């Protein structure tokens, strides 16, 4: 602030006219300062008439030449000189005046020219604004057209999805819409660029305006000269700054004004458009075919009609239906609305959306043989896991590149004769059945593992039943043949009882003696598989959109949802758009069982698929579709259908059902739990095992199960139902941990399924009502009954058996019939109150609130004991 000199010119405007020597400065942020400046006045010398030596005076030169009027003491020569000087001065003056007049004229011309320039600019400006406006209107029109085109395209796409239009047609329409959008873009761009231009022009105008406004004709030439000098000294900076300042203000004003006017214009257009889009515009509206499923969300209905949701809601309200745009209405109501709006309703079934999934039968010539998919089943501890490992390891040793295998739920091996076999490495029946329950029959061949040192066991029988139910051929692998007590023959004969006749018993089921431990017979097993596959003539068409089944799915921390898919037909490629169960996605990456990234996976190849929008479930079927919209629509439809199904299952509809449910609920104590596991297979196995726990009185209810870390949503759910959370090979995230601590939700971690089941079993046992057992501790015979005032009837007895205890329960038996049960008021031995009276001794007993006692009655003395039970 102190260097006023430097800043002085900043704000001369205000101060200049006020007081000489004081200048008011204005700085940025509105601060001002008044400073005193030294002003140097130009001395103007005006010679007074009669004053000697007034060279530049206003006196006439003629009288100076007159010696009579000449001041005394001035010589002629002197006079001459003075006259000459006077003439020269006069001439100069005349010259000066002429120059000044000339300058003035030029300035005037200048001003005129600038005025004209400004006017021209303003005219130009106005024209340009008009042009912008026109352009904008044009653009609006285009945008509207584009929106309509888009809506039409969307409607057509839906039509296509619902099977009424060819895909090519849609694509064409979409392309048209896109082209329209492209055409609209340059216009938008030029408009964006437009505001920049006026700014510079504004500047120019400001700069042009400035001299015209600041140069006042009243100002003296000298002042002007001074200013010009000043400006010269400060150089362009001053000019630039001043014009900058002016320009800024002008620009702000100008811009503000324009923006305001543009905004106003936009608002106006918006209003007009809204009005046009409403009911008023029926005339130019096109009637559409609106696909109408059984139920529809109001906003979606509006979307399909290309109407505003608010208008649809309004129309519904007029019909007396108070709904919002997110609510679902039935098809009948929707149809009335559609007709109200002047469209046509086309009723479709919801499930029609699934029709886009390519279900064309493959032609025989397109089919190529594919590797068999094998599942290993058998009783626990008969060596399923060992066998899978042994086969995999043998395969790795036999020269597969990489060598490191990944557990992705399945793997492929090469048999000695070079053919491929795909193994599902999630042994057990749960996976097999739950996948089958979901409609995914993945397995071509079941290997039934039976330990040669054991026999056919319950789960062996179960496995046989599953394989038969699924009509999947079996190969019997008689395992542990390395053991000294191995008896393969016994296994064969045992199997006969279950209608499995192996080849050795002249049946048609192949049997192979193997040892997972020594590796014996593994190649024979692979060969048997290859042979069986040959018989099955397994074929697929690799040249079509892929179809496959999820065999495992998990939520990976780094990679997001990951599903292992076994391709069953076609070829799954990177970039494919697919729907899988209630989820959908676009293949971001494919990773094979060796952990290698591959670009595609053909029939019978297991691959990890990345790029899903959520974790699907094992057994979900994957289908490649052509567009994301289709995938999303199908997934949404399935999700809704599943939700409805769950809701229907959960809601008891009739009163009887409700009552039955309430009764059942009242009788059975439930242990609610939440299960989170690392993989879908484990989660399902745990749930199935848990649901088996319990009896008529107690049961475990799995509120929810899923794959992935324990989140605070899980904790919330658990809290609401007072349930513990079971984490199998997963952990709670930090927020969930905190939430659990706050809400007192128990989280238990397990990595061994048996431990988990045992714990839950004992927890469920805790819910069993304790059994109350009665122990008879003694009997007493009443000999006499005394009536004692204040104490009532007192029995004089003899303890015949055991002990009489004061705290115990008593029953009064008359002729072996219980006529009263209660407690003792007193137990006396002679006159003293005692706690216990032994057998053979006499005592006095009185009942609490019971008087009807007679000689000859028997008193039974018992104690109750609560016995905690446990689930078997
Ligand atoms: P699973 O429960 O059916 O998966 O059975 P496992 O693969 O876990 O095997 C159970 C037990 O049997 C393990 O201790 C294995 O070491 C053992 N085992 C499996 N196969 C063989 C075999 O061929 N020979 C011998 N001696 N032991 C085996």
């Amino acid at each position: 602030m102190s260097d006023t000199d430097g800043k002085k010119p900043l704000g001369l405007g205000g101060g200049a006219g006020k007081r000489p020597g004081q200048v008011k400065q204005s700085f940025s942020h509105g601060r001002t300062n008044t400073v005193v400046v030294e002003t140097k006045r130009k001395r103007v010398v005006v010679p007074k008439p009669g004053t000697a030596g007034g060279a530049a005076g206003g006196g006439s030169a003629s009288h100076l030449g007159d010696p009579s009027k000449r001041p005394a003491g001035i010589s002629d020569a002197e006079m001459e000189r003075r006259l000459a000087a006077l003439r020269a001065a006069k001439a100069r003056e005349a010259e000066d005046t002429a120059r000044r007049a000339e300058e003035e004229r030029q300035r005037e011309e200048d001003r005129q020219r600038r005025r004209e320039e400004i006017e021209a600019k303003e005219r130009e400006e106005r024209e340009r604004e008009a042009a912008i406006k026109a352009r904008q209107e044009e653009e609006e029109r285009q945008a509207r057209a584009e929106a309509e085109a888009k809506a039409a395209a969307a409607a057509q796409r839906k039509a296509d999805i619902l099977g009424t239009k060819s895909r090519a047609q849609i694509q064409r329409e979409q392309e048209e819409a896109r082209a329209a959008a492209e055409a609209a873009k340059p216009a938008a761009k030029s408009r964006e660029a437009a505001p920049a231009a006026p700014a510079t022009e504004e500047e120019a105008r400001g700069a042009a305006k400035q001299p015209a406004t600041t140069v006042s004709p009243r100002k003296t030439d000298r002042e002007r000269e001074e200013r010009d000098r000043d400006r010269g000294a400060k150089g362009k900076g001053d000019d630039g700054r001043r014009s900058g300042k002016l320009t800024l203000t002008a620009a702000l004003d100008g811009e503000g004004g324009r923006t305001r006017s543009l905004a106003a214009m936009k608002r106006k257009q918006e209003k007009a458009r809204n009005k046009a889009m409403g009911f008023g515009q029926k005339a130019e509206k096109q009637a559409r075919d609106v696909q109408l499923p059984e139920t529809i969300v109001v906003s979606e209905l509006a979307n399909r009609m290309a109407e505003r949701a608010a208008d649809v809601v309004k129309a519904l309200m007029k019909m007396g239906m108070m709904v919002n745009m997110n609510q679902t209405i039935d098809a009948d109501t929707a149809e009335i609305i559609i007709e109200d709006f002047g469209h046509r309703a086309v009723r479709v079934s919801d499930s029609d959306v699934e029709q886009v999934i390519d279900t064309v039968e493959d032609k025989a010539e397109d089919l190529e043989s594919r590797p068999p998919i094998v599942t290993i089943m058998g009783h626990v501890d008969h060596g399923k896991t060992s066998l899978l490992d042994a086969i995999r390891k043998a395969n790795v040793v036999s020269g597969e590149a990489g060598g490191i295998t990944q557990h992705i739920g399945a793997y492929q091996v090469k048999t000695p004769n070079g053919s491929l076999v795909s193994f599902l490495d999630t042994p057990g029946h749960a996976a097999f059945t739950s996948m089958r329950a979901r409609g995914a029959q993945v397995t071509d061949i079941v290997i039934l593992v039976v330990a040669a040192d054991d026999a056919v066991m319950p789960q062996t029988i179960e496995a046989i039943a599953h394989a038969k139910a699924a009509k999947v051929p079996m190969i019997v692998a008689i395992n542990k043949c390395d053991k000294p007590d191995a008896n393969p023959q016994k296994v064969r004969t045992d199997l006969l009882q279950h209608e499995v006749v192996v080849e050795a018993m002249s049946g048609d089921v192949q049997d192979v003696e193997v040892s997972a431990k020594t590796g014996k017979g593994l190649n024979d097993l692979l060969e048997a598989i290859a042979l069986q596959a040959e018989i099955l003539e397994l074929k697929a068409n690799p040249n079509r959109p892929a179809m496959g089944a999820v065999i495992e799915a998990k939520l990976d921390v780094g990679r997001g949802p990951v599903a292992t898919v076994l391709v069953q037909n076609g070829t799954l490629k990177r970039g494919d758009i697919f729907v899988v169960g209630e989820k959908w996605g676009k293949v971001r990456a494919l990773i094979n069982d060796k952990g290698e990234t591959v670009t595609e996976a053909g029939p019978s190849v297991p691959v990890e698929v990345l790029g899903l929008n959520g974790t699907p479930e094992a057994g979900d079927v994957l289908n490649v579709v052509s567009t994301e919209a289709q995938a999303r629509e199908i997934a949404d439809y399935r999700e809704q259908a599943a939700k409805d199904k769950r809701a229907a299952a959960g809601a008891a509809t009739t009163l009887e059902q409700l009552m039955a449910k309430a009764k059942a609920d009242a009788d059975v104590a439930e242990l609610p739990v939440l299960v989170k596991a690392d993989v879908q297979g484990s989660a399902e196995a745990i749930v199935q095992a848990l649901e088996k726990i319990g009896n008529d009185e107690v049961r475990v209810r799995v509120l929810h199960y899923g794959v992935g870390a324990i989140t605070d949503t899980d904790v919330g759910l658990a809290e609401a139902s007072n349930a513990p959370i079971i984490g199998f090979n997963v952990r709670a995230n930090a927020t969930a941990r905190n939430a659990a601590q706050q809400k007192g939700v128990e989280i238990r971690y397990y990595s061994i399924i048996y431990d988990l089941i045992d714990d839950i079993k004992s927890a469920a046992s805790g819910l069993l009502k304790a059994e109350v057992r009665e122990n008879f501790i003694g009997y007493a015979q009443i000999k006499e009954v005394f009536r004692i005032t204040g104490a009532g009837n007192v029995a004089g007895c003899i303890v015949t058996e055991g002990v009489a205890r004061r705290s115990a329960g008593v029953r009064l038996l008359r002729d072996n019939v219980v006529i009263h049960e209660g407690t003792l008021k007193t137990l006396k031995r002679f006159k003293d109150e005692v706690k216990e009276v032994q057998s053979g001794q006499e005592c006095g007993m009185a009942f609490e609130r019971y008087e009807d006692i007679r000689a000859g009655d028997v008193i039974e003395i018992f104690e109750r004991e609560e016995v905690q039970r446990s689930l078997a």
Side-chain angles (χ1 to χ4, degrees):
M1 243 75 349
S2 60
D3 79 353
T4 45
D5 283 348
K7 306 226 167 173
K8 195 171 86 179
L10 257 180
L12 269 175
K18 283 188 177 171
R19 240 186 299 166
Q22 283 212 342
V23 172
K24 193 170 180 200
Q25 296 176 298
S26 23
F27 303 102
S28 55
H29 310 297
R31 284 170 298 149
T32 56
N33 188 21
T34 308
V35 293
V36 181
V37 292
E38 196 187 331
T39 30
K40 277 199 178 141
R41 286 233 174 152
K42 277 258 173 185
R43 265 183 52 220
V44 183
V45 184
V46 184
K48 282 179 194 150
T51 317
S60 70
S62 54
H63 81 261
L64 282 170
D66 187 355
S68 61
K69 291 176 183 176
R70 190 186 304 163
I74 291 175
S75 69
D76 273 1
E78 173 64 14
M79 201 61 215
E80 262 319 295
R81 205 177 47 79
R82 284 190 186 185
L83 272 175
L86 190 62
R87 266 195 301 275
K90 259 198 165 173
R92 239 189 351 259
E93 200 173 326
E95 210 176 89
D96 236 25
T97 323
R99 190 167 42 82
R100 251 176 265 149
E102 175 59 20
E103 268 179 24
E104 187 57 37
R105 198 180 50 76
Q106 267 182 4
R107 263 186 214 104
E108 187 50 47
E109 262 175 23
D110 227 27
R111 272 200 293 277
Q112 184 59 33
R113 195 162 39 77
R114 279 176 189 150
R115 253 200 302 279
E116 275 166 13
E117 258 174 36
I118 288 160
E119 268 166 22
K121 280 240 170 70
E122 274 170 356
R123 211 168 33 245
E124 207 176 284
E125 190 72 15
R126 270 198 302 279
E127 276 164 15
R128 211 159 40 77
E129 262 177 35
I132 286 173
K133 195 172 165 182
R135 203 159 50 213
Q136 226 171 7
E137 274 167 4
E138 174 58 24
E139 216 176 291
E140 299 281 359
R141 255 200 307 284
Q142 267 180 8
R144 216 161 33 234
E146 194 189 321
E148 268 167 23
K150 257 194 199 150
Q156 305 296 16
R157 200 183 62 241
K158 263 185 195 132
D160 173 61
I161 285 167
L162 294 158
T164 54
K165 274 210 172 179
S166 81
R167 202 170 292 145
Q169 208 170 342
I170 300 308
Q171 268 168 4
R172 251 197 327 276
E173 275 158 5
Q174 277 172 342
E175 256 154 39
E176 271 164 28
R178 221 174 293 133
E182 288 299 328
K185 254 181 216 160
K189 264 193 196 133
S190 67
R191 184 162 58 103
E192 271 163 34
T200 53
E201 273 170 41
E202 200 67 46
E203 232 169 88
R205 185 161 58 140
K209 223 183 224 170
Q210 189 223 336
T213 49
T214 50
V215 175
S216 143
R218 258 171 284 144
K219 279 194 177 163
T220 64
D221 291 346
R222 215 168 272 128
E223 269 175 339
R224 207 173 294 132
E225 268 163 28
E226 253 177 36
R227 204 205 51 218
D228 283 349
R229 247 204 324 280
D230 208 31
R231 196 180 283 175
K234 298 211 161 92
K236 279 180 187 167
D238 188 24
D239 228 338
R241 192 183 52 244
R242 271 173 164 269
S243 70
K245 185 183 172 196
L246 271 175
T247 306
L248 190 62
T249 328
L252 275 176
D253 279 343
E255 284 278 289
R258 204 193 330 278
T259 313
R260 262 201 303 282
S261 70
L262 277 179
M265 212 150 61
K266 269 189 190 158
R267 270 198 301 277
K268 216 164 124 192
Q269 280 168 346
E270 183 81 10
K271 231 187 237 167
R273 196 175 48 234
N274 285 349
K275 213 167 144 194
M277 294 282 276
F279 292 100
Q281 211 207 359
K282 272 193 178 154
E284 59 171 273
K285 200 164 70 177
Q286 75 186 93
R288 295 167 205 282
D289 285 334
V290 179
Q291 306 290 338
L292 180 58
E294 284 130 42
T295 59
I296 190 165
V297 176
V298 174
S299 58
E300 175 58 22
L301 175 64
N303 188 17
R304 289 186 187 191
M305 295 193 296
E307 301 286 353
R308 291 199 320 153
D311 293 338
V312 177
V313 171
K314 216 186 283 171
L316 280 164
M317 283 183 175
K318 274 191 198 150
M319 285 172 56
M321 285 194 58
M322 297 298 151
V323 291
N324 65 33
M325 58 192 262
N326 298 320
Q327 274 172 310
T328 308
I329 55 170
D330 62 295
D332 292 335
T333 315
E335 191 164 353
I336 297 170
I337 294 290
I338 291 169
E339 276 158 17
D340 256 16
F341 278 82
H343 302 296
R344 289 177 297 273
V346 180
R347 293 274 191 130
V348 290
S349 161
D350 268 355
S351 55
D352 288 355
V353 295
E354 301 241 13
Q355 281 177 2
V356 287
I357 293 172
D358 203 350
T359 47
V360 182
E361 280 288 314
D362 290 307
K363 288 194 215 92
E365 64 262 30
D366 295 336
L367 293 173
E368 291 173 23
S369 64
R370 64 170 177 87
I373 300 162
V374 179
T375 300
I376 295 189
M377 290 167 108
H379 193 73
V380 66
D381 278 352
H382 277 197
K384 298 181 291 290
T385 319
S386 310
L387 202 55
L388 274 164
D389 286 350
I391 292 167
R392 177 149 50 179
K393 272 198 207 105
N395 182 257
V396 169
V397 173
S398 67
E400 278 284 333
I404 302 155
T405 49
Q406 304 273 316
H407 172 91
I408 65 166
Y411 61 84
Q412 271 196 322
V413 299
K414 208 170 254 172
T415 63
N417 66 15
S419 60
L420 287 167
V421 178
S422 299
F423 280 93
L424 291 188
D425 71 359
T426 34
H429 316 155
F432 186 81
T433 38
S434 67
M435 280 177 78
R436 222 157 62 76
R438 282 219 184 74
Q441 174 129 352
V442 184
T443 307
D444 299 312
I445 299 166
V446 165
I447 295 193
L448 183 68
V449 180
V450 190
D453 62 339
D454 204 347
V456 169
M457 298 296 282
Q459 283 170 3
T460 318
I461 299 164
E462 233 179 82
I464 294 169
H466 283 308
K468 283 195 169 159
K471 297 199 174 69
V472 176
M474 267 185 295
I475 295 174
V476 176
I478 305 170
N479 192 28
K480 306 197 187 182
C481 284
D482 59 292
K483 282 198 162 184
D485 56 346
N487 186 356
Q489 202 50 39
K490 181 174 177 291
V491 172
R492 293 192 182 97
T493 44
D494 270 7
L495 283 172
L496 280 177
Q497 291 177 10
H498 304 282
E499 291 162 31
V500 178
V501 188
V502 297
E503 281 179 342
M505 311 288 283
S506 34
D508 54 3
V509 176
Q510 296 189 72
D511 60 313
V512 188
E513 289 183 19
V514 296
S515 165
K517 201 172 173 186
T518 63
K520 176 195 163 217
L522 290 186
N523 280 344
D524 298 340
L525 181 62
L526 289 177
E527 259 165 34
I529 294 166
L531 182 66
Q532 185 66 56
E534 229 168 84
I535 296 166
L536 289 171
E537 286 188 356
L538 302 165
K539 295 220 159 103
N541 174 9
N543 304 309
R544 61 174 284 162
M547 192 274 275
V550 175
I551 51 176
E552 231 176 67
K554 63 183 173 194
L555 189 65
D556 195 286
V557 181
R559 302 183 295 170
V562 181
T564 299
V565 173
L566 198 59
V567 179
Q568 290 174 292
N569 203 2
T571 300
L572 185 62
K573 301 185 179 95
R574 201 159 65 201
D576 276 351
I577 295 160
F578 59 86
V579 55
V580 52
E582 298 163 33
K583 307 287 187 280
W584 67 278
K586 185 172 181 175
V587 179
R588 200 170 72 219
L590 295 171
I591 298 156
N592 71 8
D593 53 344
K594 291 162 198 84
E596 300 157 350
T597 305
V598 290
T599 51
E600 55 176 49
S604 297
V605 176
V607 272
E608 276 191 325
V609 178
L610 273 65
L612 292 130
N613 78 330
T615 315
E617 291 181 26
D620 277 346
V621 177
L622 176 143
N623 289 101
V624 168
V625 293
S626 43
T627 67
E628 267 187 38
Q630 287 175 353
R632 194 178 296 133
E633 192 159 19
I634 296 169
D636 286 353
Y637 158 69
R638 287 182 182 169
E639 199 180 342
Q640 190 57 47
K643 233 183 246 168
D644 292 349
K645 202 170 149 192
R646 276 196 291 272
T653 40
T654 67
L655 196 60
E656 288 94 77
Q657 277 171 322
L658 269 176
M659 277 161 66
K661 195 163 171 270
K663 192 160 179 285
D665 286 351
D667 286 352
V668 182
E670 270 184 349
L671 176 70
V673 292
L674 236 95
V675 178
K676 288 305 274 288
D678 53 345
V679 290
Q680 186 74 25
S682 313
E684 278 174 12
I686 291 166
V687 170
Q688 283 184 358
L690 289 180
E691 278 170 353
K692 277 190 201 141
I693 296 177
N695 54 20
D696 304 348
E697 293 170 61
V698 186
R699 68 173 172 229
V700 175
R701 191 158 71 95
V702 179
L703 291 174
H704 168 75
Y705 73 94
V707 171
I710 297 163
T711 63
D712 47 356
T713 341
D714 297 327
V715 174
L717 181 58
E719 187 207 10
S721 317
N722 217 355
I725 300 173
I726 296 166
F728 185 75
N729 284 337
V730 293
R731 296 287 176 267
N733 62 29
T735 40
R737 254 196 320 268
N738 291 341
Q741 225 155 31
Q742 270 174 19
K743 295 171 179 171
V745 171
E746 186 185 16
I747 301 180
R748 281 165 171 256
Y749 299 122
Y750 296 93
S751 51
I752 296 166
I753 214 162
Y754 299 107
D755 292 349
L756 187 161
I757 303 299
D758 281 352
D759 269 13
I760 298 300
K761 219 179 240 180
S762 56
S765 300
L767 286 181
L768 282 176
K769 286 194 194 92
E771 194 177 31
V772 180
R773 270 188 223 154
E774 269 183 14
N775 297 324
F776 300 115
I777 56 167
Y779 285 94
Q781 181 97 39
I782 301 182
K783 296 269 179 209
E784 261 176 284
V785 175
F786 308 96
R787 173 115 203 123
I788 295 168
T789 34
N793 288 346
V794 175
C797 330
I798 179 157
V799 177
T800 52
E801 248 181 80
V803 291
R805 207 167 275 154
R806 163 101 165 72
S807 57
V810 284
R811 283 194 195 95
L812 186 68
L813 311 179
R814 192 170 293 159
D815 301 325
N816 287 322
V817 174
V818 177
I819 57 165
H820 173 70
E821 182 180 322
T823 49
L824 287 179
K825 190 160 68 181
T826 50
L827 178 63
K828 284 195 160 140
R829 179 108 175 94
F830 305 110
K831 294 258 178 245
D832 303 324
E833 193 69 30
V834 290
K835 279 190 178 155
E836 225 176 69
V837 178
Q838 296 295 325
S839 159
Q841 294 178 335
E842 285 187 340
C843 62
M845 285 195 256
F847 288 87
E848 195 82 71
R849 288 192 295 274
Y850 192 77
E851 302 290 313
D852 179 23
I853 46 176
R854 294 180 197 170
D857 288 351
V858 171
I859 296 169
E860 181 181 85
I861 304 135
F862 63 89
E863 267 177 355
R864 283 208 176 94
E865 182 189 18
E866 283 198 349
V867 182
Q868 198 61 49
R869 293 174 301 159
S870 68
L871 289 164

